[in-house]
Amino acid sequence: MQQIKKAAVLGSGVMGSGIAAHLANIGIPTLLLDIAPRELTDAEKAKGLTLENKEVRNRVSEGNRQKLLKQKPAPLTSKKNIALIEAGNFEDDMERLKDVDWIIEVVVENLSIKKQVFEKVDQHRKPGSIVSSNTSGISVEAMSEGLSEDFQKHFLGTHFFNPPRYLKLLEVIPTKNTSSEVLSFMKQFGEDVLGKGVVEAKDTPNFIANRIGTYGLLVTVQEMLKGGYSVGEVDSITGPLIGRPKSATFRTLDVVGLDTFIHVANNVYDQVGGKEKEVFEVPDFMKVMQEKGWLGSKTGQGFFLKKGKEILELNPETLEYGPRQKLKAASTELAKQEKGTAGKLKALVYSDDRSGQLLWNILSPALLYSAQLHGEIADDVTAIDRAMKWGFGWELGPFETWDAIGVEKSVRKMEEAGEEVPAWVKEMLEKDINSFYKEEEGQKYFYHNGEYRLIEENHKVINLKQLKKQKGVIKKNTGASLIDIGDGVALLEFHSQSNAIGLDIIQMINFAVDEVEKNYKGLVIGNQGKNFCVGANLGMILMEAQDDNIYELDMVVRHFQNAMMKIKYSAKPVVAAPFGMTLGGGAEVCLPAAHIQASSETYMGLVEAGVGLIPGGSGNKELYLKHLDNMPNGVEFDLQKVANKVFESIAMAKVSTSGEEARDNNFLNLADGISINGDHLLYDAKQAVLALHEKGYKPPVRKKVPVVGETGYATLLLGAQAMLYSGYISEHDLKIAKKLANVIAGGKVPYGTEVDEQYLLDLEREAFLSLVAEPKSQQRMQHMLLKGKPLRN
């Protein structure tokens, strides 16, 4: 049976080292190889090294390995993962390929160089090991020609998108000789272990996402030039307004790098003909930009240039920079009123103002192109749509977009303009089938060869929207819903604005725990919003505070604290499934759970200090207890050090940059889980509930908590006072620190006193309420609500 326990990456550039980092993040030891230098650097000469020294021979791969620690966004989910990557070189270490199960080639995009590398690989690899190329467009078939039968059987393309840790798409490209077992193993491994969205692509120029994405970008550039639009105008309507990333069109090109983009465009240009070839011809002004070295973010200027605080846009005709412009039209204002991307698109593409014309002229060719390539680059519409969503961050793929604007209506408009609509789309309409997708009884189907077929999902994907349509909801209010997710497990889904916690969610937590204790094996707290939960409803807190309703707030905080204790001492296991932003109250919901199953991309922290407060819903106590629980049994430890660490984490509003870092910061313990594939998070959380139930789950026994007391309080404040004297923090920051220190220290009691949890909750609530009443804290809350960033006052 195929297994991947160890890997090798050949080529240590940005992409190669990024793939090595992704493998290390999931615990796979990886050998990272690159060329051995031919010359010494001055520093090496000064050290008296020679070309034979290992330090010199591995300089390229080791240098790129070290860069992983400094890169932003971070390729490693925890810096300690770098220990799983070992640097080497092509001359000394190729024979070590016999010890690995997967070899990934990431050298320059040149067929003859790749073939040379694979000839060496074929000599050294062990039979049965998988070999793949991360090419973004060279024929996978051509690379493996003339190599051994076992090599060809185990060879395929695996095209990661950059950066590999964050971009979901993995295109898997088999050759005619790739064994079906290897292909199905890699697709499953890609999803379950690498955490990717895997799409099978055909061996055509640039595969799926880059082929359509590059076409769409070039059509947009050509339309900008033709219609006299500016760079900024195009970006203002080709981003979130139409369900695309914030970086829209030209900011995306700046991030990708103009040289990379031109290389990808030329790759298709060289291999296609006719009208398609014309589109892939890069406009002259972009070639001039490349000659000038205006490649985007990596060179400091591209389509945009930052001058001080101002961002300037490039004029493609004069190649001079000027103020950034936005496209204002009636249709864009109208679209902003619409709910959902489908509604916005419809309002835009059929309007006849400048916005509508631009969008129609860039969307229509992209939709037609996707339909023309259907069958050539991928077998069905779902593969094309998923590739664009996972690789380019589109909210709707081309065929989903087509459904959103109405297939029949848009085809009429296309044909009136003299466009040629692919025969299969017209045949579909002739059969009175007016959409590429349909939904029935909570199941989703796609159109294929004259009929609808069920979209098959990995069994680990739980789709809450579809589940609610199929099974209904146990109970719901404005803030949350309780859903039966099968096998005797219920799920509490937050769906308030930003999933912020208010009284409605607190009520549903209480109801959910009671209902689960009576009728279910356990509860998952999770959702499929943009973020798990950004905290408590800050607007409500500020409003009550400004109205001097401290009594009301006291009641809300008590309810919140009691709900957290209900989660903690529930007779049935409660599993929290955080992902994305899990801040303040969001983290407080997770900390008392019997188990946390976090997504690999979880940004967790108690951030209340940033808005002039401290956690009020048991977060201080629970984080302190998590730290204590992580201490080894029977070993004496310094209680003060534990208190210091918790105090620092909350006072500095530290937020983890991954699930793994949340574990490093003690928000997760060793028994808690991390899901690499975010789409499998709820499934993994459900399995955790079932495992706890099978083991005969018993809630924790209430116990007293040792605290550092008055002497510990003084120690905690030492650092804060030093920071005040150095000018790093304000008087109000010190006031917050004093309140927090008192809570963590357990108030005015002797060092080592054991107190009960309710006593700590009361201290926490009193401190929270006293800070809420402070005018400076209210200013901070208001600033955060208006500007989205903290105020230092």
Side-chain angles (χ1 to χ4, degrees), residues 430-443:
E430 280 158 17
K431 289 179 180 166
D432 272 341
I433 295 174
N434 296 321
S435 65
F436 297 103
Y437 294 95
K438 73 166 183 178
E439 217 170 292
E440 274 176 12
E441 293 167 3
Q443 302 270 42

Side-chain angles (χ1 to χ4, degrees), residues 24 76 97 196 213 218 264 267 437 461 495 498 507 557 583 618 626 694 728 749 783:
L76 295 163
L97 297 184
K196 294 294 170 195
L218 283 165
V264 172
N267 189 48
Y437 294 95
V461 175
H495 45 61
S498 301
Q507 283 164 359
V557 178
L583 305 174
S618 83
K626 274 265 190 198
E694 288 304 313
Y728 285 112
V749 295
H783 193 270

Side-chain angles (χ1 to χ4, degrees), residues 557-575:
V557 178
R558 278 175 199 270
H559 281 318
F560 190 19
Q561 288 184 342
N562 292 341
M564 296 307 98
M565 293 293 269
K566 197 158 187 155
I567 288 172
K568 183 170 187 173
Y569 293 108
S570 162
K572 300 284 177 73
V574 177
V575 172

Side-chain angles (χ1 to χ4, degrees), residues 44 493 510 525 772:
E44 286 164 346
E493 175 198 29
N510 288 322
I525 301 178
V772 157

Side-chain angles (χ1 to χ4, degrees), residues 95-229:
E95 61 188 35
R96 295 176 64 192
L97 297 184
K98 70 180 186 305
D99 302 325
V100 307
D101 309 299
W102 181 21
I103 299 156
I104 311 154
E105 167 275 313
V106 202
V107 301
V108 291
E109 288 287 81
N110 175 305
L111 181 59
S112 68
I113 291 174
K114 286 181 188 290
K115 287 190 78 146
Q116 285 168 32
V117 169
F118 286 130
E119 277 166 23
K120 282 189 183 171
V121 168
D122 204 6
Q123 291 165 27
H124 295 290
R125 64 180 276 274
K126 66 180 175 191
S129 62
I130 292 171
V131 185
S132 70
S133 171
N134 182 62
T135 180
S136 55
I138 292 177
S139 167
V140 181
E141 200 82 55
M143 290 181 209
S144 61
E145 279 169 8
L147 294 168
S148 71
E149 192 184 330
D150 187 79
F151 182 101
Q152 293 195 9
K153 220 167 91 176
H154 291 87
F155 180 70
L156 70 171
T158 49
H159 181 214
F160 288 83
F161 275 62
N162 194 26
R165 172 182 161 187
Y166 300 95
L167 281 186
K168 192 169 177 64
L169 181 61
L170 175 66
E171 290 175 325
V172 172
I173 311 100
T175 72
K176 63 178 186 288
N177 298 313
T178 308
S179 95
S180 55
E181 290 82 10
V182 167
L183 176 60
S184 61
F185 169 78
M186 281 310 286
K187 283 160 82 170
Q188 194 175 352
F189 178 81
E191 271 190 53
D192 292 351
V193 183
L194 295 174
K196 294 294 170 195
V198 178
V199 170
E200 186 181 332
K202 299 195 176 186
D203 193 9
T204 54
N206 287 12
F207 314 126
I208 303 174
N210 275 343
R211 178 85 170 263
I212 291 171
T214 306
Y215 182 91
L217 283 162
L218 283 165
V219 164
T220 306
V221 174
Q222 286 151 12
E223 194 51 43
M224 171 186 78
L225 298 172
K226 215 187 310 172
Y229 297 91

Side-chain angles (χ1 to χ4, degrees), residues 538 541-542 545 606-616 650-651 653 730-737 739-740 767-784 789-793:
L538 194 60
I541 294 170
L542 178 61
L606 294 167
V607 295
E608 286 83 351
V611 288
L613 304 171
I614 69 162
I650 300 172
S730 66
E731 291 281 357
H732 191 57
D733 290 321
L734 185 64
K735 184 175 275 187
I736 298 163
K739 300 276 183 191
L740 176 63
F768 177 87
L769 293 169
S770 69
L771 285 168
V772 157
E774 290 277 345
K776 285 195 171 176
S777 286
Q778 291 176 16
Q779 285 166 18
R780 288 189 181 191
M781 286 186 262
Q782 193 153 5
H783 193 270
M784 179 58 81
K789 44 188 183 206
L791 170 72
R792 295 258 71 88
N793 60 351

Side-chain angles (χ1 to χ4, degrees), residues 254-288:
D254 274 354
V255 171
V256 168
L258 191 58
D259 51 345
T260 304
F261 176 75
I262 288 175
H263 171 80
V264 172
N266 287 342
N267 189 48
V268 184
Y269 178 82
D270 293 338
Q271 295 180 68
V272 296
K275 276 176 81 176
E276 190 179 0
K277 197 177 188 77
E278 287 170 28
V279 174
F280 280 95
E281 178 154 17
V282 175
D284 289 339
F285 85 94
M286 288 166 82
K287 293 175 187 168
V288 175

